[in-house]
């Protein structure tokens, strides 16, 4: 089960996943937050029986910093501490006591090994843990959106091919590139689904052209850095005009651009509203987080 805050709402998702079988989305609901977030969590713990699940939560994009760094040449048990001090000049909060996590980026051919290093203030993590503890909801993991998107993208990957996945929600868009179920690139782009929805026709076209340019530059840089990975396609998941966005990007990018459709990789017969591409986009982070906690 995942419990993910998105703006003024909380998204819940429960996914049953096992090796060799299509994941089944059993629950996907959204609730508006009225009052304090902790109060909302306590109410959901009662009404949705959250105490029965191992739950995952996600940090908001402003609550952590993620950086791609060279893997330090130290023993594994010293790596977190070494990275902590490398991150010191990248954040505006004390690194002493801050939560640090590391994810390896696989490489080949003797290339320099890199890692994703994620750091969050101790106060942010402590507050999240305290809220779940007060509501008596078991908290298994505090994750980040990049990894939640990676979890969903992995379902769409083709054998021996990389996949670019673009998620467009109310805030910034998030682009990931994965290969073999591993995250190789994550980048935020300042073009959002909400921005497109609010723009007039001319402004919307300008924004889509800028988005296509940023995507092309990123894909070109990725190809130079990871020449051993062939990216097969770009999947788009957007809260606004998915078909129009796919068509516009397809005219400007060299690789196939398609709308992400969860029905191709997961079952959700009991949740008909998930047939909507917009609803899939709204729920994507919660579903991705649930894929971690229920795997």
């Amino acid at each position: 089960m995942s419990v993910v805050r998105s703006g003024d709402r909380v998204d819940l998702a429960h996914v049953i996943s096992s090796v060799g079988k299509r994941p089944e989305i059993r629950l996907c609901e959204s609730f508006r937050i009225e009052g304090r977030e902790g109060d909302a969590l306590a109410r959901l713990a009662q009404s949705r029986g959250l105490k029965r699940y191992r739950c995952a939560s996600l940090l908001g994009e402003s609550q952590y910093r993620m950086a791609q760094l060279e893997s330090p040449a130290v023993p594994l048990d010293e790596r977190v501490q070494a990275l902590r001090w490398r991150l010191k000049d990248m954040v505006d909060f004390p690194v002493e006591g801050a939560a640090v996590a590391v994810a390896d980026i696989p490489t080949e051919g003797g290339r320099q090994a890199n890692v994703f290093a994620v750091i969050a203030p101790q106060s942010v993590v402590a507050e999240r843990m305290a809220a779940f503890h007060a509501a008596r909801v078991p908290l298994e993991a505090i994750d980040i959106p990049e990894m939640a998107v990676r979890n969903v993208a992995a379902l769409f990957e083709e054998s021996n091919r990389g996949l670019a996945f673009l998620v467009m929600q109310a805030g910034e868009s998030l682009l990931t590139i994965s290969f073999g179920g591993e995250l190789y690139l994550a980048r935020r782009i300042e073009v959002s689904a909400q921005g497109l929805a609010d723009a007039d026709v001319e402004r919307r076209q300008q924004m889509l052209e800028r988005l296509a340019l940023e995507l092309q530059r990123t894909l070109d840089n990725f190809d130079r850095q990871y020449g051993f990975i062939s990216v097969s396609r770009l999947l788009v998941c957007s809260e606004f005009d998915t078909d129009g966005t796919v068509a516009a990007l397809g005219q400007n990018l060299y690789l196939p651009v398609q709308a992400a459709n969860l029905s191709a990789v997961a079952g959700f017969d009991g949740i008909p509203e998930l047939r909507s591409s917009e609803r899939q986009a709204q729920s994507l982070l919660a579903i991705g987080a649930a894929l971690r906690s229920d795997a």
Side-chain angles (χ1 to χ4, degrees):
M1 175 73 78
S2 67
V3 184
V4 176
R5 178 167 185 172
S6 179
D8 62 353
R9 71 175 195 266
V10 172
D11 297 327
L12 302 184
H14 180 210
V15 181
I16 301 298
S17 180
S18 58
V19 177
K21 295 183 179 180
R22 282 164 55 97
E24 182 180 350
I25 303 171
R26 296 282 184 88
L27 172 72
C28 186
E29 296 182 323
S30 296
F31 302 88
R32 186 168 299 279
I33 297 175
E34 298 178 358
R36 297 187 304 118
E37 183 177 0
D39 294 337
L41 183 60
R43 289 194 298 270
L44 290 174
Q46 293 295 326
S47 63
R48 290 299 181 270
L50 299 185
K51 298 175 184 179
R52 298 183 287 114
Y53 299 96
R54 295 174 295 123
C55 293
S57 183
L58 297 181
L59 295 177
E61 61 186 79
S62 64
Q63 295 180 309
Y64 67 96
R65 175 68 187 271
M66 180 177 182
Q68 182 175 332
L69 303 170
E70 289 186 359
S71 181
V74 298
L76 282 178
D77 60 352
E78 299 177 13
R79 188 164 64 162
V80 166
Q81 191 64 13
L83 288 169
R84 184 187 303 275
W85 299 112
R86 287 196 194 178
L87 292 164
K88 184 175 182 179
D89 295 332
M90 301 181 186
V91 298
D92 58 0
F93 53 84
V95 297
E96 298 87 349
V100 178
V102 184
D104 289 297
I105 303 175
T107 188
E108 67 172 29
R111 295 170 56 90
Q112 171 65 46
N114 288 338
V115 298
F116 287 117
V118 181
I119 186 169
Q122 184 182 41
S123 58
V124 168
V125 175
E127 182 179 355
R128 184 65 54 87
M129 294 175 66
F132 275 76
H133 179 74
R136 298 184 179 180
V137 176
L139 180 61
E140 180 186 50
I142 300 176
D143 214 330
I144 59 173
E146 287 84 350
M147 293 303 178
V149 174
R150 185 278 313 269
N151 294 343
V152 176
L155 302 177
F156 289 92
E157 285 186 19
E158 300 171 357
S159 180
N160 296 318
R161 303 294 296 276
L163 179 74
F165 202 103
L166 178 67
V167 180
M168 303 183 69
Q169 297 180 314
E172 296 177 324
S173 295
L174 175 59
L175 172 69
T176 66
I177 299 180
S178 60
F179 175 68
E182 300 287 351
L183 184 66
Y184 279 80
L185 178 143
R187 184 196 169 191
R188 294 190 179 274
I189 301 174
E190 293 182 354
V191 177
S192 69
Q194 187 64 53
L196 291 175
D198 294 341
D200 58 32
V201 175
E202 181 179 358
R203 175 59 178 160
R204 186 178 303 152
Q205 181 63 30
Q206 293 173 348
M207 294 172 69
L208 287 170
E209 290 175 356
R210 178 158 61 91
L211 175 60
L213 179 60
E214 293 297 328
L215 290 171
Q216 190 62 67
R217 287 174 174 169
T218 301
L219 290 165
D220 289 343
N221 288 334
F222 183 84
D223 186 58
R224 285 191 290 269
Q225 187 174 4
Y226 298 103
F228 62 94
I229 298 176
S230 175
V231 178
S232 63
R233 53 183 174 154
L234 169 68
L235 294 186
V236 177
C237 189
S238 176
E239 289 190 27
F240 171 78
D241 190 19
T242 302
D243 292 339
T245 301
V246 167
L249 294 179
Q251 293 175 354
N252 291 280
L253 298 178
Y254 67 84
L255 81 172
V257 181
Q258 302 168 356
N261 186 351
L262 283 174
S263 65
V265 295
F268 46 82
D269 293 342
I271 313 175
E273 60 269 25
L274 270 182
R275 296 170 189 157
S276 160
S277 58
E278 287 74 19
R279 181 57 180 154
Q280 289 186 19
Q282 291 171 355
S283 308
L284 190 94
L285 294 182
I287 292 170
L291 281 167
R292 166 182 177 141
S293 65
D294 294 304

